[in-house]
Amino acid sequence: MLIAEALKVTADDYRLMPEGGPRYQLIGGELFMSPSPSRYHQSVVSNIYFLIRGFIEVNPLGKVYMAPLDVHLSEHDVFQPDLLFVSNAHAAIQVDEGIHGAPDLAVEVLRQRIYRNRVD
């Protein structure tokens, strides 16, 4: 085993971290801290969740979740998308500690910078 491989954080190591903040994601065996989302970000995520949740209530096709909820993609990759959907066909990937495998839909809301041309 390479030394670099031995230094990578694993999903088991990640699960030993205390719940609550700060939030981390495990990417390629490295921990990346996520800052608290902005009010605008939370508003956008809430609106998307509300729309999908309303559709799912009428059409019970699966489950929709909001962050924080761990999505385990590999031993060295654990993400927390802002919103995710798991269809009934893939319900088995839902476990107590989160999602083990790729959800049917993952949404990550990114901050957009608005640039305005100033006219003096």
Side-chain angles (χ1 to χ4, degrees), residues 49-111:
Y49 176 81
F50 177 77
L51 292 170
I52 295 174
R53 176 72 189 249
F55 181 82
I56 296 302
E57 285 180 4
V58 175
N59 305 282
L61 301 172
K63 298 283 186 184
V64 61
Y65 300 98
M66 289 177 61
L69 182 66
D70 291 334
V71 175
H72 299 257
L73 296 179
S74 76
E75 189 58 27
H76 297 289
D77 296 289
V78 181
F79 299 90
Q80 290 185 0
D82 291 322
L83 186 117
L84 62 103
F85 170 75
V86 177
S87 69
N88 292 334
H90 300 125
I93 68 172
Q94 299 170 92
V95 297
D96 287 341
E97 68 230 13
I99 308 298
H100 278 242
D104 295 278
L105 172 70
V107 176
E108 188 68 35
V109 175
L110 303 177
R111 180 173 60 176

Side-chain angles (χ1 to χ4, degrees), residues 12-69:
D12 289 336
D13 300 328
Y14 174 85
R15 281 191 290 275
L16 294 174
M17 295 177 66
E19 288 189 27
R23 292 181 5 183
Y24 287 91
Q25 297 190 76
L26 180 61
I27 303 171
E30 293 184 53
L31 290 173
F32 291 88
M33 186 175 78
S34 301
S36 181
S38 70
R39 183 178 55 84
Y40 178 76
H41 175 275
Q42 290 300 82
S43 179
V44 170
V45 172
S46 296
N47 288 337
I48 296 170
Y49 176 81
F50 177 77
L51 292 170
I52 295 174
R53 176 72 189 249
F55 181 82
I56 296 302
E57 285 180 4
V58 175
N59 305 282
L61 301 172
K63 298 283 186 184
V64 61
Y65 300 98
M66 289 177 61
L69 182 66

